[in-house]
Each structure stands twice: as C-alpha cells, then as structure tokens.
Amino acid sequence: MKSASPYIFVDNCLNVMEYYQGLFGGEITNIQKTGDGKCLHAELHFGNSIIHFSDTFSKVNQGDHVRIVLECESEEEIRKVYDSLSQGGRITLELQETFWGALHANLVDRFGIGWLLNFQKRKI
C-alpha cells in the first residue's frame, strides 16, 4: 500500500477547508470543480498528511461524511483489496477506469467503513 488518508464529504467544502487550513496550516491544492462550481475534489496538505475533500452531491447520512482513501501500488493490489472488502459489503461505485487515469472504486465494507480505492495508472 502506498497510503491511507481521510476523505471528507461536506457542503461548501472550500469554506470548510479554509477553516481547517487556518487551524492546521498547510496548503490547499488540486481543486477540481464541476461545471456548476461545486468542488469535486480538493486536498489540504500539511506536514506529511493529506486530507481530501469534496462537496456533497446528494443527501449524506450521519456518519457518511468521512471515508478512507486507500492508494494502491498496483492493479493486482487494488483488485485484491476490492474483492476482499466487497465481500459482505456494499459497492457504491464498481472498480473502473477513470478520466484521471486511475482504477477507482467506492464501497462500504461489512463493518460499515467507507473506502475509496485508487490505483493511479498514469499521471494526469
């Protein structure tokens, strides 16, 4: 595994990120917006840590605001993790190729933990 880090889904995420940046310091990077101006993805880097953020795009239930991003090192690794975590869990986005050059999937495991699995195949 390359890394694991939190991914926070919250309304008005750029404002929320500015709050956390004021608290923790660091730099807001990699801001990607949709055509209507919502934040699809952004990152707060501080120290050796990254917190990923996104605006919400539908109703988010209590406890679903934070997921874990798992960056994998190979296609074999992401497929193994995907197969294992999906057993008894709920897949919310099938493992698939993405526009940002990665294999990516979203799921909730059998323990109720949300995961965003990613293997970056090429640099964007």
Side-chain angles (χ1 to χ4, degrees):
M1 288 305 142
K2 276 176 120 174
S3 65
S5 54
Y7 206 120
I8 298 174
F9 298 89
V10 63
D11 290 333
N12 302 307
C13 82
L14 293 176
N15 292 336
V16 173
M17 290 181 77
E18 288 175 0
Y19 168 79
Y20 287 122
Q21 181 184 36
L23 180 63
F24 302 134
E27 181 182 4
I28 296 172
T29 66
N30 200 12
I31 298 171
Q32 300 169 24
K33 292 186 177 182
T34 62
D36 63 358
K38 289 187 85 171
C39 183
L40 180 63
H41 177 84
E43 300 170 0
L44 176 59
H45 293 248
F46 58 96
N48 292 325
S49 300
I50 300 172
I51 301 176
H52 306 265
F53 288 84
S54 175
D55 275 321
T56 55
F57 288 86
S58 60
K59 183 179 182 306
V60 177
N61 296 318
Q62 188 71 22
D64 287 343
H65 288 278
V66 179
R67 293 190 173 220
I68 300 170
V69 176
L70 193 61
E71 288 288 342
C72 296
E73 294 186 285
S74 68
E75 186 168 335
E76 178 183 1
E77 183 176 62
I78 194 171
R79 290 187 185 284
K80 177 183 173 191
V81 171
Y82 175 80
D83 290 343
S84 181
L85 290 177
S86 63
Q87 293 298 313
R90 179 175 46 91
I91 297 168
T92 55
L93 180 71
E94 294 278 341
L95 186 62
Q96 61 189 265
E97 302 273 345
T98 65
F99 69 87
W100 64 87
L103 275 178
H104 184 82
N106 300 349
L107 58 92
V108 177
D109 69 19
R110 64 184 170 188
F111 306 108
I113 306 301
W115 297 89
L116 305 175
L117 308 179
N118 202 69
F119 166 57
Q120 192 67 44
K121 296 172 75 170
R122 62 177 171 81
K123 295 287 183 192
I124 55 173

